[in-house]
Amino acid sequence: MSELRCSGLTKAYGSREVISNLDLTVPDGSIVAIVGPSGSGKTTLLRSILGLVAIDRGTIHLGDSELTHGRTRLVPPHRRAIGYVPQEGALFPHHTVLENVGFGLPRKERKDVTRIDHILSIVGLNANYRNRRPHELSGGEQRRVALARALAPSPSCVVLDEPFTGLDASLRQTTRTAVAAALRATHATAVFVTHDQQEAFSLGDYIGILRNGTISQFGQPEDVYREPADPETAQFLGETNILTGTITKNHANTALGKLPILGHLADGPAHILIRPEQLHLHGSARPDDAGMQVHGRILSITFFGAHSLISLAVNGIYPKQILAHHQGHVPWDAGEDVFISLTGRAACFPAPARTPADPEGAIGRTPQQGG
Amino acid sequence: MSLASPALTDSPTARKGRIPTPPAALIAVCALVDLLVLIPIGITLHEALKDGVPHAAHLLASTGSWNLIGNTVEVALIATPLCGILGTVEAWLIERTAIPLKAVWSVLLVAPLTMPLFVTSYTWAHLGPLFQGEPGAIGIIVVSYSPLVFLLVSAALRGLDHALEEVAQSMGSSPLKTFFSVVLPQLWPALLGSMLLVGLDALVEFDAFVALSFQTVSTSIYAQYQTSFSSSGAAVLSISSILCCLILLAGERLLRGNRNYTRLAHGALRPIQLSPSMRTLPIRLGLLIIFAGVGIALPIATLIYWFTSGSSLALNLASLSIQALPASTLTSLMLGVSTAACTVLLAFPVALLITRHPTFLANMMERTVFLAFALPDLVAAIAISSGASTVTPWLYETVPLLIYAYVILYIPLAVVALRTSLGQIEPRLEDVARTLGSTPLGVIRRITIPLARPGIGAAAVLVFAFVLGDLSTTQVLSPPGMTTLGTEFWSNSSTVAFAAAAPFALALALLAGIAAILLMRWFGKRR
């Protein structure tokens, strides 16, 4: 049983509170991704779990033992048995791979080649790496050795700080797979922090959103993506269209059309979140259930390979741009008009008392007239 | 990494508010080191003020000491900036321009530092009046101590991200402007730190100024001591040197401001592509030849001339000296090695405290170590000697007491070398080691010491070289009958034939050369 629990964690540097009253529970054996923008306190959170920084208030438990109680570090960092994979690996430059991985083992076991080789194989490296020096490894190999080093003493919990930052796309993918496999194989409870949503989605069993020093939302990746707790979280997790509209009978009415909503919200004005992949573009009219035909003018097309991001001007929403994803080849050019239909459900948030909707007249011209 | 000053701010411990509280044990050890440093100062102050402050003030005013203090301050004020400029130019030539045989040139540039100052000054004294008096005094400080600036500034230069210079140049800044606007601000901590050492050394320099017959506070302290045999006059004079030292320390602190010491802990730096400019190569080589020529070739050539061109009487004396050579060499080596070991051992905690826990307390404790330079060697030695004779007679005129004196005299050098090296270790490596189950002491043993090895080596060699080059402390404190290369050189050089002194001087020069090579190998290593 090695569930990691932080409760009421607070840490200030001078007058600036980096972590404020943070609660986080990492279920035993699961991988939790903490995702937050730069400066949101990610590294401080990890360092307090490790005992490398003293917190001001709160408690940290691992399994049945209390590690930190307020300002008191009940267990010093070297007795916590929490593995640590710092940014960029931070391998000991004066040691070989063998010595790096064996560093945390008892003296007798440090030279146990078969054991070290086994740990290396868990992270997907073969025995040939054993005698290399850190500077002879690629960035991805360094991360894997760093993970092997952290896993070697069989910790019940591992924390990883931006484990894939600075790796190129293909290396990132293979390293990510290797790291995920290794963490699963050892059944260690893992917490990793990242500013990259993709990484958090693909690797975490759960993700926690760290904003303003506290976990603003925690849950399974897909749930958090589909039903973000607030518009800011939605925007942080990916491209979004946040529209103003009204809710009637669990349906959201927007200038883009009508969609069933996720969850429940009382009838009335609301902010409605529609992801770009929920928008489908057509060259010809295709009326939706309500018989609406919404069209927009393509402002720009950004090519991303498998998909393209298209920004549109839509009557009633302009000058705010609408973002849509289009899979594969885009048969239109900027300036052309397309029809828009919606799929899926929309997340929505109650709008503040006054409705900040764009007044119709402020646009001055419709996409058809302008451009 | 912020573009403005990557080396100065972007590290966990340098960031404000992230300073971990220093462990009590470390503070305690550093306090002990400070105490060791303060003992001779305490004894001297007690001696100076035992007849009351008015008496001391009267003595200070009556001995015409203002003139001496003026002389001392003048030399320090002129020589220190010159050292700074010369050392920085040398560092720039070696680190940032394409020069053939760089390793050789760096050793030649460092050698004047490891060469005993009394040997260099003795050869200068015999070169003519141009090399004596005030110009000689300034000259010898500049030549002998600019390598200190060279060492520290080139270490800092190596750690700078060359990309910043490239960015500046890409924005249309000329090489000279780039140096002043981008490079120099980043070198400032290293430059100020090394100039502080030079200034402190210049204030209390003694042997060299005696040889060059230049009157300063230190030399007249010696005269006072010799004529009156009352150490109180000497002690009163040394109050002025303590005050100068305090002013320098405060001044450096003010100039340095809140900048932390250079930290160079950010992964692999891209190697610098130096464009071999053939047009300026002759000028650059010419400068190096002049620096190395004055600094090292001149004294060595003089020594060899003495050795080879003496009369038959002189040669007889020289051959006598050679018989005494092995014993005194062995003594010098023994003293040098054991002092180096003790000094590094005591300097390490201080350097660790200031680099890992740079709190106000740590700053004060580190500054206190620099007070070791407040007393002229001779005064410190006399204070230790008189203290030991009354309080711990069993230590009086023993080798351990002599080593204690050496340690406190040279510990600032070791702290500076170690601090530079410790500052280059990524704090994260120590964090990782903690999480892998190493105790704080285990981390020092398994991570910090192995990674700081170049700095430890450099500190040891630097102290070793300074012990070889010491004269006054040895003369006051050495057990009866013990001779070192230095004392042998001194006693022979004061007799008729310099040829008799030359073998000792050459042996010292040889050891200094080895020390210079080791110093460059460890401290001058390209990372």
Side-chain angles (χ1 to χ4, degrees), chain A residues 50-338:
Chain A
L50 289 163
L52 295 171
V53 295
I55 57 165
D56 298 330
R57 283 195 305 279
T59 58
I60 302 171
H61 285 82
L62 181 62
D64 298 326
S65 56
E66 185 170 28
L67 303 180
T68 302
H69 188 99
R71 288 173 193 275
T72 328
R73 273 182 277 191
L74 300 172
V75 182
H78 60 279
R79 295 222 188 83
R80 295 198 170 194
I82 299 179
Y84 176 34
V85 182
Q87 273 184 48
E88 283 149 34
L91 297 181
F92 303 130
H94 58 305
H95 285 322
T96 60
V97 167
L98 177 91
E99 289 161 333
N100 263 287
V101 176
F103 192 94
L105 296 175
R107 194 182 295 268
K108 291 191 292 286
E109 296 165 36
R110 275 178 211 159
K111 302 278 163 175
D112 184 346
V113 176
T114 42
R115 170 143 187 210
I116 306 261
D117 283 352
H118 172 68
I119 300 163
L120 283 175
S121 72
I122 292 177
V123 297
L125 295 174
N126 62 35
N128 295 335
Y129 284 94
R130 213 194 285 144
N131 295 317
R132 301 232 192 134
R133 299 235 158 222
H135 64 87
E136 296 167 335
L137 302 174
S138 75
E141 287 160 354
Q142 290 185 20
R143 314 298 162 95
R144 295 192 200 190
V145 174
L147 179 65
R149 178 179 62 182
L151 293 177
S154 314
S156 49
C157 177
V158 185
V159 302
L160 305 93
D161 190 356
E162 301 270 7
F164 313 108
T165 303
L167 298 180
D168 65 56
S170 64
L171 203 52
R172 217 175 160 93
Q173 185 51 44
T174 50
T175 310
R176 198 186 294 176
T177 317
V179 165
L183 289 174
R184 302 262 176 245
T186 51
H187 305 293
T189 304
V191 183
F192 78 97
V193 298
T194 175
H195 63 269
D196 183 333
Q197 312 86 337
Q198 307 291 328
E199 213 164 272
F201 288 140
S202 60
L203 198 53
D205 295 324
Y206 300 93
I207 74 171
I209 311 292
L210 185 59
R211 277 196 26 231
N212 306 325
T214 191
I215 301 285
S216 63
Q217 194 174 5
F218 187 87
Q220 293 187 349
E222 212 188 325
D223 296 344
V224 175
Y225 181 75
R226 271 153 41 101
E227 272 189 274
D230 49 64
E232 289 77 17
T233 306
Q235 268 163 339
F236 178 67
L237 289 177
E239 286 130 352
T240 53
N241 299 299
I242 292 176
L243 307 172
T244 52
T246 50
I247 307 287
T248 37
K249 293 182 190 155
N250 286 331
H251 276 75
N253 301 298
T254 72
L256 283 181
K258 193 174 170 187
L259 266 184
I261 62 166
L262 287 157
H264 295 282
L265 198 65
D267 289 0
H271 289 298
I272 290 134
L273 176 132
I274 300 172
R275 295 276 182 199
E277 63 269 22
Q278 290 181 273
L279 270 69
H280 294 275
L281 307 183
H282 319 279
S284 55
R286 202 178 285 182
D288 68 5
D289 302 341
M292 271 182 78
Q293 284 186 26
V294 180
H295 53 87
R297 175 158 294 184
I298 295 179
L299 297 173
S300 66
I301 302 171
T302 313
F303 180 64
F304 279 101
H307 77 272
S308 296
L309 183 69
I310 299 176
S311 76
L312 300 147
V314 176
N315 205 2
I317 301 169
Y318 193 82
K320 201 190 236 177
Q321 297 182 4
I322 293 297
L323 299 173
H325 278 175
H326 188 85
Q327 292 295 320
H329 174 68
V330 180
W332 310 287
D333 285 321
E336 285 188 51
D337 290 336
V338 288

Side-chain angles (χ1 to χ4, degrees), chain A residues 47 78 87 90 92 94 103, chain B residues 428-429 431-432 434 438 446:
Chain A
R47 291 176 63 85
H78 60 279
Q87 273 184 48
F92 303 130
H94 58 305
F103 192 94
Chain B
R428 277 190 312 163
L429 295 175
D431 290 344
V432 177
R434 283 303 299 281
S438 286
R446 295 178 67 192

Side-chain angles (χ1 to χ4, degrees), chain B residues 338-383:
Chain B
S338 32
T339 307
C342 295
T343 313
V344 169
L345 206 66
L346 290 173
F348 190 84
V350 179
L352 197 67
L353 183 71
I354 190 71
T355 50
R356 296 297 182 268
H357 313 276
T359 55
F360 177 75
L361 177 71
N363 255 308
M364 293 315 290
M365 294 186 105
E366 191 224 16
R367 301 268 115 180
T368 307
V369 169
F370 282 91
L371 283 177
F373 277 164
L375 293 179
D377 296 9
L378 189 76
V379 178
I382 291 167

Side-chain angles (χ1 to χ4, degrees), chain B residues 91-227:
Chain B
W92 181 263
L93 287 177
I94 294 294
E95 295 299 330
R96 284 293 196 266
T97 71
I99 296 271
L101 298 174
K102 249 178 204 183
V104 176
W105 285 116
S106 2
V107 169
L108 290 177
L109 290 179
V110 163
L113 179 67
T114 52
M115 186 81 171
L117 206 49
F118 59 83
V119 173
T120 319
S121 54
Y122 234 78
T123 59
W124 278 39
H126 293 267
L127 286 172
L130 180 69
F131 289 87
Q132 291 176 9
E134 188 167 350
I138 293 170
I140 200 131
I141 294 290
V142 171
V143 165
S144 305
Y145 287 118
S146 59
L148 209 53
V149 179
F150 164 67
L151 266 182
L152 293 169
V153 169
S154 45
L157 257 181
R158 275 194 300 276
L160 290 193
D161 194 347
H162 190 55
L164 292 175
E165 292 156 54
E166 293 170 345
V167 169
Q169 286 185 1
S170 76
M171 295 189 296
S173 156
S174 71
L176 212 61
K177 194 178 164 217
T178 306
F179 178 79
F180 282 105
S181 62
V182 177
V183 181
L184 197 59
Q186 298 187 75
L187 294 180
W188 206 227
L191 186 56
L192 276 178
S194 53
M195 280 169 64
L196 172 70
L197 287 180
V198 174
L200 292 173
D201 261 323
L203 281 180
V204 295
E205 181 51 48
F206 167 68
D207 296 327
F209 292 164
V210 171
L212 297 173
S213 39
F214 179 64
Q215 290 257 307
T216 65
V217 173
S218 339
T219 60
S220 78
I221 285 172
Y222 180 61
Q224 283 260 341
Y225 184 66
Q226 274 200 322
T227 51

